[in-house]
Amino acid sequence: MPLVDASMENLPVEVMVDILSRLPVKTIIQCKCVCKKWLDLVSDSYFADFQLSRSPAGIMIYHDSDHNKENTGYHKSGIWVEVEDKPDHHNLPHNRVMSLDLNLPGIIHPVGSLNGLICLWQYNRKTSNTYICNPITREYMILPKQKYHRKEIYADVTYGFGVSSVAREYKVIRILQKSLSPAEVYTLGTGQWRSLGHVPYWFTGRCGQFLNGHAHWTIRDQDSSKKICALDFDKETFELFPSPPPEEAFIYFDCLGVVRGCLCRCDTYYSKFTVWVMKEYGVKKSWHKEFVIERCMDPNLDLLRVEPLYPIEGFEDGTILMASYQNKVFVYCPQRKTIVDREVFGGYFYGLSYHPSFLRLHNFENGRVQLF
């Protein structure tokens, strides 16, 4: 437990914020217990914004937990793993910095992570719920039921989570596909879902990738080619977005992701795996073929024809961390033009980029926030 130094107690608030925000997240949490002054300071939105600008890179991994005692199905727990990314090396350690387990039965799918907040969708045969949580503050909220809620099929739902660029409002988008029901949006703090009208596209991803005030999905058009659709979180409108040029007629899988602030798309063909990166947001000509992996490079890449790879994180030296759903993490090194696979956790898991923050859900909704 950190000790309070009298000289630090007399420092201006701006200086204390600067000092505390440089500490490891777990140390900051301990500092909240030192004195009321530090508790109030760390709980303030000014500190949350300042610390977020220095928030370390990490990955939140959701994986299968033990079968619960009530025999209602598997549930997933989240594990925050820190990532070292320095000019001379990077490392993905196995040590768990912090865990997140809401003990929810059924299918738990991470919708997205933004500024320390994580959106989760829980689905089982009896219910369907949407959660917003912050593992650092140990807060979570259950969003109200959607206006057009029905007993949907798991494959029919896609989500988006992000914040509008102008109004800075956090929003959750939910789309029921193969349905006459309109898309709906929930703005944190309003307490209700609103209709966005019917979406004339079929989205191929479980959730939209958020970047620059937009959520992005791949869609299958009438000509069977893969295109990209984007939702503007300020205008709340859907429109087609510049896509990479087509290479072959048939793509097994495609996945969108965000790597080091750039939108990217991973395309799986019969004999190869291609990663495109959009160097300049919204500019079609800026799509760059980052690398191509021939399946003959590694027999383990036969997996690519069974399920998609999706990008999780990128490192300063150009290395890209990708994952499959079958307990595999693939690391591509551009200098050596090699790809290696690593086993992380047993069973199904899903990983997403995560930057911890002290942003409090109480800033958005009073009365609905709970602790876990």
Side-chain angles (χ1 to χ4, degrees), residues 9 77 79 100 111 149-150 188 211 221 247 296 310 344:
E9 279 287 287
S77 59
I79 297 175
L100 166 63
V111 173
H149 176 75
R150 66 177 177 84
L188 268 62
L211 179 66
D221 207 358
E247 290 187 285
C296 60
Y310 60 91
V344 180

Side-chain angles (χ1 to χ4, degrees), residues 225-264:
S225 63
K226 294 296 180 68
K227 298 180 180 180
I228 298 177
C229 176
L231 168 69
D232 187 317
F233 271 64
D234 280 301
K235 299 178 181 178
E236 297 184 350
T237 55
F238 293 88
E239 58 187 25
L240 292 178
F241 189 81
S243 306
E247 290 187 285
E248 297 181 15
F250 183 76
I251 300 178
Y252 275 93
F253 304 106
D254 65 276
C255 284
L256 292 178
V258 176
V259 174
R260 297 192 63 79
C262 293
L263 187 69
C264 69

Side-chain angles (χ1 to χ4, degrees), residues 83-93 315-317 319:
V83 175
E84 288 184 82
D85 186 11
K86 298 181 180 180
D88 56 342
H89 79 283
H90 55 260
N91 183 36
L92 176 62
F315 297 98
E316 289 188 4
D317 64 356
T319 298

Side-chain angles (χ1 to χ4, degrees), residues 115 136 181-182 312:
N115 297 341
I136 305 304
S181 301
I312 299 177

